[in-house]
């Protein structure tokens, strides 16, 4: 019975914490444009920029494995460590999504400017390296 009680105590703390993953803080490009704004524009598109939903795709791709992953890590670690592991996993998934995104391709003018066709990727790698996570207490 004490093993069951320990396990239940570990899960009881989950309603008091939240994990947020995304582009946190105030990172900006050299011209002052917020990285989060660039991410949002690329995620949803504009009248002239097609949507490239890298964020929603990464979340959808991880949706089937996260519950099992969380259950496994919560069984082996305290709540904060398990949330850190999940946060690190999702940061990697978002970065990979940016790195591998290919459709729709860049416009010919963008390809000419960049010198290559790789939507969401720029030589500075700022978007790809801007993901992080926060654990907050409610």
């Amino acid at each position: 019975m004490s093993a069951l009680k320990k396990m239940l105590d570990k899960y009881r703390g989950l309603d008091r914490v939240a994990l947020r993953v995304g582009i946190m803080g105030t990172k900006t490009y050299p011209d002052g444009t917020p990285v989060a704004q660039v991410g949002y524009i690329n995620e949803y598109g504009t009248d002239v920029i097609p949507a490239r939903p890298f964020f929603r795709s990464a979340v959808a791709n991880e949706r089937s494995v996260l519950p099992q992953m969380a259950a496994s890590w919560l069984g082996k670690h305290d709540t904060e460590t398990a949330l850190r592991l999940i946060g690190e996993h999702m940061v990697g998934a978002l970065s990979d999504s940016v790195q591998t995104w290919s459709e729709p391709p860049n416009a010919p003018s963008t390809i000419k400017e960049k010198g290559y066709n790789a939507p969401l990727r720029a030589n500075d790698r700022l978007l790809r390296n801007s993901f992080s996570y926060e654990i907050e207490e409610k």
Side-chain angles (χ1 to χ4, degrees):
M1 192 63 150
S2 69
L4 177 60
K5 183 181 178 328
K6 281 183 186 178
M7 183 177 277
L8 288 173
D9 287 344
K10 196 179 273 193
Y11 292 109
R12 285 189 182 110
L14 291 178
D15 62 343
R16 294 190 301 267
V17 294
L19 174 66
R20 293 174 16 139
V21 180
I23 300 171
M24 308 294 175
T26 57
K27 290 186 180 186
T28 61
Y29 285 90
D31 69 357
T33 303
V35 176
Q37 179 183 353
V38 171
Y40 182 89
I41 288 169
N42 278 288
E43 178 75 16
Y44 293 100
T46 67
D47 291 343
V48 295
I49 299 170
R52 295 182 172 101
F54 66 91
F55 197 99
R56 289 173 288 171
S57 293
V59 170
N61 290 339
E62 298 301 317
R63 190 170 301 217
S64 64
V65 297
L66 282 175
Q68 297 91 334
M69 192 180 296
S72 172
W73 286 337
L74 282 166
K76 298 174 188 171
H77 304 286
D78 60 87
T79 302
E80 184 175 337
T81 300
L83 288 175
R84 287 188 188 287
L85 291 168
I86 293 166
E88 290 169 12
H89 175 82
M90 286 307 301
V91 164
L94 290 166
S95 180
D96 289 347
S97 184
V98 167
Q99 182 63 23
T100 60
W101 197 269
S102 62
E103 294 295 327
N106 285 129
S109 59
T110 303
I111 294 170
K112 184 176 181 180
E113 181 182 321
K114 288 169 71 171
Y116 56 92
N117 179 29
L120 304 180
R121 292 185 296 282
N123 290 329
D124 60 19
R125 298 184 177 105
L126 194 53
L127 178 61
R128 182 182 79 188
N129 294 327
S130 292
F131 299 107
S132 61
Y133 66 92
E134 297 175 343
I135 299 171
E136 14 175 81
E137 292 190 31
K138 295 180 186 177

